[in-house]
Amino acid sequence: MTHHPTSRRITRAALATALAAALGTGAVQTATAAPAAPSRAAAPTPSVPTHSPAPGGGWSQDGLHLNADDNKKVDAYLARARRAERSISPQVRTAALLSHAQLVGFDQRLKSPDSLKRKIATKMKETPGQSVEISLAKLNDAVRYTLQWPTGQYTHGVTVAAGLLASWGNDTARWSNTWGHSKGYKAVNSAWRAPRSGQLFEVQFHTPESKAAQLETHKIYEEQRLPSTPPERRRELQAQQDAIFAAVPVPAGAMHLTAPSRRNPEPLPSHVATT
């Protein structure tokens, strides 16, 4: 995949400053190597709600359906995503620490079975003939995270955090920067492919105001995307979302944030390496 250079690259001095701050608070990971995954005992698995069964081993909810074979394949995908999360989360947590981000909603980092199956069933209904394998291959938020900074720290924070994820071998699969859009959702939504497992995971980069707007519009968005929602109602719901996001302040430089290039980790500065 072709990567676009970031408008503000992470300098060695900036990385050293972040490391020094982290070490000063007792953090022991470094930014020159991907953080090791914790043991299973140290990484509690988020609670996973039970899904809605259908006769014959399928799944059904809100007028959406998966047959037994497709439902089994989605369950297998969910199991793989849960295993992959154990090595992805330490990297995201360390990137948040070193970029001074708040890691929001970490307990919801795994998409629930019902939510994921609803999304897959919707995609298959909207694209007749599309297999469940193709639908799953396009899914990037079964494992997802949100990093948040105050408006004045946002652009630098995103640059640092995204640069660290790239330096640890994660490839950018998607980078959607909507800060420059006149209407609708405001944030940077990114998808990454983990080097060990190949698992796609999502990282949303927010300010407190953009995250609050996302939460406020969530139910509106959920109604809007249902296949049963009439076109006229969808337009009304979009107008409501536009009005809410229009009030979100745009951080300086946020419109120009682009995906980082994958690069080899920089060596630790001597004064940090000997700390």
Side-chain angles (χ1 to χ4, degrees):
M1 172 173 290
T2 301
H3 298 283
H4 303 286
T6 53
S7 56
R8 296 176 61 185
R9 292 185 178 278
I10 304 174
T11 64
R12 182 176 297 183
L15 185 57
T17 300
L19 276 168
L23 289 168
T25 60
V28 295
Q29 284 107 334
T30 71
T32 58
S39 66
R40 292 188 180 184
T45 300
S47 60
V48 180
T50 57
H51 61 265
S52 303
W59 174 92
S60 180
Q61 189 181 81
D62 297 329
L64 298 166
H65 309 276
L66 292 172
N67 64 38
D69 187 49
D70 288 345
N71 188 46
K72 183 177 180 180
K73 290 175 181 177
V74 175
D75 283 336
Y77 177 93
L78 282 165
R80 292 193 298 271
R82 285 194 288 269
R83 289 194 296 270
E85 177 271 330
R86 296 170 187 158
S87 62
I88 297 169
S89 285
Q91 295 189 13
V92 175
R93 296 184 72 165
T94 303
L97 175 68
L98 296 178
S99 65
H100 307 290
Q102 179 183 1
L103 187 55
V104 180
F106 184 69
D107 288 345
Q108 287 76 49
R109 60 193 178 276
L110 289 173
K111 201 174 188 72
S112 73
D114 274 340
S115 179
L116 190 146
K117 292 177 182 183
R118 186 167 56 247
K119 187 169 187 176
I120 292 299
T122 299
K123 288 182 178 295
M124 294 175 69
K125 185 173 182 178
E126 292 173 344
T127 311
Q130 179 170 290
S131 68
V132 69
E133 289 88 355
I134 292 176
S135 299
L136 287 169
K138 295 180 178 180
L139 186 72
N140 57 37
D141 64 347
V143 183
R144 71 275 180 90
Y145 308 89
T146 297
L147 272 60
Q148 176 180 291
W149 297 264
T151 300
Q153 302 172 25
Y154 177 82
T155 300
H156 178 69
V158 173
T159 302
V160 172
L164 288 169
L165 290 174
S167 75
W168 292 330
N170 299 288
D171 282 328
T172 312
R174 177 173 177 262
W175 185 273
S176 176
N177 183 347
T178 57
W179 284 108
H181 292 188
S182 59
K183 296 181 180 180
Y185 181 80
K186 298 288 193 299
V188 172
N189 280 13
S190 62
W192 305 76
R193 189 176 299 278
R196 297 179 185 178
S197 62
Q199 176 67 44
L200 285 171
F201 63 97
E202 180 185 76
V203 182
Q204 295 185 5
F205 300 115
H206 276 283
T207 65
E209 294 82 2
S210 68
K211 183 61 181 176
Q214 182 194 41
L215 294 174
E216 185 178 354
T217 59
H218 179 70
K219 288 186 177 180
I220 301 174
Y221 171 72
E222 288 292 317
E223 181 184 350
Q224 183 188 32
R225 73 176 186 171
L226 286 174
S228 58
T229 303
E232 183 177 351
R233 177 59 177 163
R234 290 188 184 190
R235 289 192 290 269
E236 293 175 359
L237 295 170
Q238 186 60 57
Q240 292 177 32
Q241 294 177 76
D242 291 344
I244 293 169
F245 280 110
V248 175
V250 178
M255 292 184 292
H256 305 296
L257 287 167
T258 54
S261 300
R262 181 175 175 179
R263 61 190 187 281
N264 293 326
E266 296 185 9
L268 276 172
S270 58
H271 70 281
V272 176
T274 56
T275 300

